[in-house]
């Protein structure tokens, strides 16, 4: 499609309208062969090419003024059992809601991935992928058996490569790079295959985790009016200490995942949402003990609203409830941080100070916390490219708005807020005993900007920690021309 095509304007941007491109052409691929054809044409003509799967990239990696060709993978969206490999194949344009629906209805299994329904598999899995079942079953990539990638060699040759986790596979390093190395770095992923380590046989009902038939979901709103600074501090101390204590793979709380949402004081109550595997023999007691610990000294008599429902219905309901995160008319900005230990007073003070400010009025401003650790941390920090195997929480800063005239205002707000929380470590969550860096799927170019990152930790130290040099070696082997690149892509050594 070129600018003369009526479909063009709909396909030159992702979910976030802050990022729009004006490419010479958009190619919608429907097979690996067509991907090879488009990439080869771009290489031969010296065109700048980027790749879109679901369109959820939170920076301008896909859509920016330098882009000349966009390769759209949204039509490559099949989810099927590949009997030859004994694994479930997922194409990059498949969105998570369809992945969950197909896996569960067909075979009663799932992949422990994210919670936003419209995220495309392509970039999500490359960065790791985690959600409400990850404390029990690990990251999505912990079940990645193989990946098919279209690569460009030093002479400009274009071909597909299949890389597996088998230790005798000569292409194993390319598989490893796609277990947390992030999208847009090494080539175009055209297919993922999932099969859990240790799975036996060729029955698709036995090769991936089986989610619980039912879950308990507990929702609780805590009115801001009830919070003094002391109570706010107690809540975050309780919450972060609980997760630090239970971040290990043998925690008795693997069946439980909790979320904590901190909105602006003027926007509504602080929210707690907690999921427990209802088939766990101690499910109700786990939930009671969890709330007792988190609410101790804060709101000990608060009672959550608990709903029992089938797992798939609960998953799809939660995935589609957050309509703002999926509204293509709304502009947004995000920042992330990983936690390893209990949140210190300095960070809590900054959170309280900004969330109780009255000089900004935007009900979408929030910081959300999601349980991490558990079986995620059963995998070695270098066994996959995803390095955050010692963390307890994942934090996400969010602000959403409508008017382009407000871009500077709200991007500036998020920068200032985030920088204040991590003021003692140069404005970013430097890996140490308390913080653990940032999640590459919530990419943030500010981390590479010395105006906002004044620490001694480079952006790649935050995303990849000590895995970065190995990723660079993979880059040199599989993308020696640096054909696949963006503002935070893995650099050649």
């Amino acid at each position: 499609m070129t600018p003369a095509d009526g479909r063009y304007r709909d396909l030159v941007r992702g979910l976030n309208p802050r990022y729009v491109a004006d490419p010479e052409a958009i190619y919608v691929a429907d097979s690996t062969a067509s991907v090879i054809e488009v990439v080869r044409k771009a290489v031969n003509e010296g065109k700048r090419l980027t790749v879109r799967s679901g369109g959820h990239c939170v920076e301008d990696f896909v859509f920016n003024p330098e882009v000349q060709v966009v390769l759209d993978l949204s039509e490559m969206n099949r989810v099927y059992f590949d009997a030859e490999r004994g694994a479930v194949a997922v194409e990059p344009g498949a969105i998570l809601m369809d992945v969950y629906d197909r896996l569960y209805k067909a075979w009663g299994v799932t992949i422990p991935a994210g919670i936003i329904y419209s995220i495309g598999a392509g970039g999500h899995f490359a960065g790791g992928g985690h959600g409400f079942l990850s404390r029990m079953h690990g990251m999505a990539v912990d079940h990645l058996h193989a990946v098919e990638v279209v690569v460009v060699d030093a002479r400009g040759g274009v071909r597909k490569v299949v890389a597996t986790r088998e230790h005798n596979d000569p292409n194993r390093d390319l598989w490893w790079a796609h277990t947390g190395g992030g999208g847009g770095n090494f080539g175009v992923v055209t297919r993922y295959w999932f099969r859990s380590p240790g799975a036996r046989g060729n029955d698709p009902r036995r090769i991936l985790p089986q989610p619980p038939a039912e879950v308990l979901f507990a929702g609780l709103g805590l009115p801001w009016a009830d919070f003094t600074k002391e109570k706010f501090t107690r809540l975050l101390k309780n919450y972060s200490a609980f997760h630090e204590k239970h971040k290990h793979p043998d925690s008795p709380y693997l069946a439980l995942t909790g979320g904590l949402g901190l909105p602006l004081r003027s926007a509504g109550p602080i929210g707690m949402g907690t999921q427990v595997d209802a088939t766990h023999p101690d499910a109700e007691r786990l939930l009671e003990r969890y709330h007792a610990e988190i609410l101790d000294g804060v709101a000990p008599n608060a009672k959550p609203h608990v709903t029992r429902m089938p797992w798939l219905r609960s998953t799809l309901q939660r995935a589609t409830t957050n309509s703002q995160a999926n509204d293509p008319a709304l502009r947004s900005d995000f920042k992330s941080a990983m936690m390893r230990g209990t949140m210190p007073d300095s960070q809590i003070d900054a959170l309280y100070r900004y969330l109780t400010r009255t000089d900004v009025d935007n009900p979408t401003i929030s910081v959300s916390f999601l349980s991490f650790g558990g079986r995620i941390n059963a995998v070695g920090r270098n066994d996959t490219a995803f390095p955050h195997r010692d963390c307890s929480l994942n934090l996400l800063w969010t602000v959403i708005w409508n008017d382009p005239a407000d871009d500077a205002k709200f991007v500036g707000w998020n920068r200032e807020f985030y920088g204040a929380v991590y003021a003692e470590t140069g404005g970013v969550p430097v890996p140490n005993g308390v913080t653990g860096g940032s999640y590459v799927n919530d990419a943030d170019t500010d981390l590479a900007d010395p105006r906002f990152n004044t620490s001694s930790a480079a952006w790649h130290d935050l995303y990849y920690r000590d895995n970065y040099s190995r990723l660079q070696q993979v880059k040199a082997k599989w993308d020696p021309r640096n054909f696949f690149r963006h503002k935070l892509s893995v650099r050649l050594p």
Side-chain angles (χ1 to χ4, degrees), residues 50 157 256 348 422:
T50 59
L256 181 147
I348 296 173
Y422 300 109

Side-chain angles (χ1 to χ4, degrees), residues 383-406:
D383 291 344
T384 64
F386 185 84
H388 306 295
R389 303 292 186 164
D390 51 6
C391 291
S392 54
L393 290 167
N394 186 11
L395 279 59
L396 184 69
W397 275 251
T398 301
V399 59
I400 300 171
W401 66 97
N402 183 57
D403 190 344
D406 288 332

Side-chain angles (χ1 to χ4, degrees), residues 84-113:
E84 183 178 346
R85 291 196 176 274
V88 171
V90 179
E91 293 184 338
I95 63 172
L96 292 186
M97 182 165 68
D98 292 340
V99 173
Y100 297 147
D101 192 69
R102 171 70 173 153
L103 291 181
Y104 192 64
K105 288 180 178 176
W107 306 296
V109 297
T110 194
I111 298 168

